[in-house]
Amino acid sequence: MKLESPMESTASSLRQSASSAAAEELMEMETKPLLTKVLSYPPAAAAAASTSQRRRAKSSPRPSRQNSFSRDIGHAAKETYLVTSLSFTLLQYLGVGYRWITRLLALYCYAMLLMPGFLQVAYVYYFSSQVQRSIVYGDQPRNRLDLYLPKNIDGKKPVVVFVTGGAWIIGYKAWGSLLGLQLAERNIIVACIDYRNFPQGTISDMVEDASRGISYICNNIADYGGDPDRIYLMGQSAGAHISSCALLEQAIKESKKEEISWSVSQIKAYFGLSGGYNLFNLVDHFDSRGLYRSIFLSIMEGEESFHRFSPEVRVQDPGNKDVVSILPPITLFHGTADYSIPSDASKIFVDVLQRVGAQADLVLYDGKTHTDLFLQDPLRGGKDDLFDQLVAVIHADDKEALEQDAVAPPRRRLVPEILLKLAGNISPF
């Protein structure tokens, strides 16, 4: 009798969990309103119905919320169960080490200090009619996205497709709620894409999910008041890596004349925030930070896959010259005090992009950490350089929007300064 190794046993349990979760997702999709079924993956079916949907959209109001609060609670309970079971599987990889325990404790304290702001954001996330949660975009577990809609939905609005970070392990669509709500205040629609995390999936699954989510937005955002000609792609931390991989993979398919469900030409610009784009340069750094080499290799499907999932390396391939020419303008943002992913990761990638002929820019923020730009600064309220720069680029061709931005009230503070400083001091990131 053949005995399974621990790795084989773990893989088997993950497949069973994923299959069970997928079945639950499909069962829930059957109970969704007709509009949700029509707009759901696969993209080809959505595209076939898009014409009639847009015709109805002209005479009908914004799509109503798809889930009641009670259904959201039920879905959250199922996801919690799945995440809990996968967490135990994850512990088989992590073990019980000093670095992980201390970082988990630091993460808990960090979250508690910022809780006043998180609670305010969570209240709006769950109770605002401007937030449409858990729209199904694919047939895999966690193939859902959240939409943040402006109050004023007359006229087509620019759209930001956002892929959240989370070290490829704890990413979740709700992590983008603060950014989504604040951009919606400036008449920008934000779509936050959820995706399978490790150990439920590996990097190819994450990139595939992100691409499916982007496809859904490209093909259906007009039904929600979005402008399909003004779609911006953005990722933060691990999400910047995943989204850049999805963008480059799509460009390669397009250059080879392969069948595609969305086009790189539909992306007006790409924004990468605090991301890493070369796995060869990051594996040892992450190991020293507690994301052990063995875990990282499992997430990235082995060192043999590093080339495929390293955009910085891949754009330098001589065979990808045509690919570089169709990439959208790329802007990378990074804090110089980022120790989770050093700012050199963005510096080098921009240098490489410019050298191979792509349009790329780098914006560095002196003294900013990995979480300052994405969490502490937005929670602080008032003026925020990153937010202002994003809005300026998105509204660059809209004179009326720029005039409204100039007189927009300052953003409200959500967390007292003393708590923000304490959180920054103990942040595990």
Side-chain angles (χ1 to χ4, degrees):
M1 181 174 66
K2 181 181 177 182
L3 297 177
E4 283 187 329
S5 67
M7 187 69 74
E8 290 172 334
S9 176
T10 298
S12 176
S13 67
L14 287 177
R15 285 193 295 270
Q16 293 173 1
S17 297
S19 298
S20 174
E24 290 178 347
E25 295 276 1
L26 290 173
M27 287 177 65
E28 183 170 353
M29 286 170 65
E30 290 300 317
T31 66
K32 290 222 171 250
L34 178 61
L35 178 60
T36 307
K37 290 183 180 180
V38 174
L39 293 181
S40 296
Y41 184 87
S50 63
T51 302
S52 61
Q53 285 174 339
R54 290 191 179 98
R55 192 178 297 121
R56 289 195 300 271
K58 292 180 181 178
S59 59
S60 60
R62 177 196 310 172
S64 61
R65 295 178 66 81
Q66 296 171 327
N67 294 323
S68 66
F69 184 68
S70 60
R71 181 173 294 177
D72 284 339
I73 293 296
H75 174 66
K78 287 192 295 183
E79 283 197 340
T80 300
Y81 174 80
L82 176 62
V83 170
T84 301
S85 63
L86 291 172
S87 296
F88 282 106
T89 305
L90 180 61
L91 288 174
Q92 297 179 30
Y93 286 88
L94 299 179
V96 181
Y98 170 77
R99 277 186 292 182
W100 267 102
I101 291 175
T102 55
R103 288 188 183 279
L104 285 173
L105 288 174
L107 178 60
Y108 175 79
C109 295
Y110 175 80
M112 288 299 102
L113 288 168
L114 299 181
M115 192 56 67
F118 293 161
L119 290 175
Q120 294 176 71
V121 174
Y123 179 83
V124 179
Y125 177 76
Y126 281 106
F127 294 103
S128 173
S129 60
Q130 292 175 242
V131 183
Q132 296 200 20
R133 302 187 305 278
S134 295
I135 298 171
V136 178
Y137 69 78
D139 58 0
Q140 294 297 320
R142 297 187 64 171
N143 277 187
R144 294 169 178 266
L145 59 83
D146 294 332
L147 278 182
Y148 298 83
L149 304 173
K151 288 182 180 179
N152 176 15
I153 204 63
D154 60 324
K156 295 180 179 180
K157 308 297 182 185
V159 183
V160 172
V161 181
F162 184 64
V163 183
T164 64
W168 303 274
I169 295 173
I170 58 171
Y172 185 56
K173 57 187 172 63
W175 299 168
S177 54
L178 181 57
L179 177 70
L181 292 170
Q182 292 181 338
L183 285 177
E185 291 178 353
R186 298 295 185 91
N187 284 323
I188 298 169
I189 295 176
V190 179
C192 291
I193 296 176
D194 205 8
Y195 55 90
R196 286 169 285 178
N197 283 203
F198 183 81
Q200 189 179 20
T202 53
I203 185 61
S204 60
D205 300 314
M206 302 176 202
V207 173
E208 178 185 357
D209 288 351
S211 185
R212 282 181 175 176
I214 297 167
S215 174
Y216 179 91
I217 293 300
C218 288
N219 288 295
N220 298 286
I221 197 58
D223 297 308
Y224 298 90
D227 187 347
D229 295 323
R230 287 191 293 167
I231 298 176
Y232 299 81
L233 178 60
M234 180 176 181
Q236 186 263 341
S237 191
H241 169 250
I242 294 168
S243 57
S244 62
C245 286
L247 181 66
L248 184 57
E249 184 70 26
Q250 194 70 11
I252 291 173
K253 289 181 180 179
E254 205 165 321
S255 69
K256 294 180 179 179
K257 310 299 181 183
E258 295 181 16
E259 184 177 351
I260 56 175
S261 61
W262 63 280
S263 172
V264 172
S265 63
Q266 293 175 273
I267 306 301
K268 196 169 177 66
Y270 173 79
F271 306 125
L273 175 59
S274 306
Y277 311 95
N278 187 334
L279 301 182
F280 294 98
N281 294 343
L282 292 173
V283 58
D284 291 331
H285 172 76
F286 285 142
D287 184 75
S288 69
R289 296 280 298 173
L291 183 55
Y292 303 124
R293 186 182 184 90
S294 59
I295 305 170
F296 190 71
L297 290 176
S298 297
I299 295 171
M300 300 302 165
E301 303 172 5
E303 197 163 351
E304 61 272 16
S305 296
F306 277 15
H307 181 279
R308 178 186 173 191
F309 297 109
S310 294
E312 177 189 312
V313 177
R314 212 170 181 190
V315 296
Q316 299 180 73
D317 286 352
N320 286 335
K321 287 183 179 179
D322 293 337
V323 174
V324 172
S325 65
I326 63 175
L327 290 175
I330 295 171
T331 304
L332 303 185
F333 305 93
H334 222 119
T336 60
D338 189 335
Y339 299 109
S340 294
I341 301 179
S343 58
D344 281 348
S346 290
K347 291 179 187 176
I348 296 172
F349 189 31
V350 166
D351 287 343
V352 168
L353 286 169
Q354 292 175 343
R355 189 166 64 247
V356 298
Q359 183 179 340
D361 294 297
L362 174 67
V363 181
L364 294 177
Y365 298 92
D366 190 41
K368 297 295 185 180
T369 67
H370 195 68
T371 55
D372 278 337
L373 296 170
F374 186 63
L375 277 178
Q376 283 100 289
D377 286 353
L379 289 170
R380 181 173 283 111
K383 183 175 173 57
D384 182 338
D385 290 338
L386 171 63
F387 180 83
D388 292 342
Q389 286 172 318
L390 286 175
V391 172
V393 172
I394 296 169
H395 284 162
D397 299 326
D398 189 336
K399 183 179 179 181
E400 182 180 350
L402 288 174
E403 291 174 351
Q404 293 174 353
D405 293 336
V407 296
R411 294 181 301 166
R412 186 169 59 91
R413 175 184 285 275
L414 300 178
V415 177
E417 187 64 26
I418 187 171
L419 296 183
L420 289 170
K421 290 187 178 299
L422 287 172
N425 289 335
I426 67 169
S427 171
F429 302 107

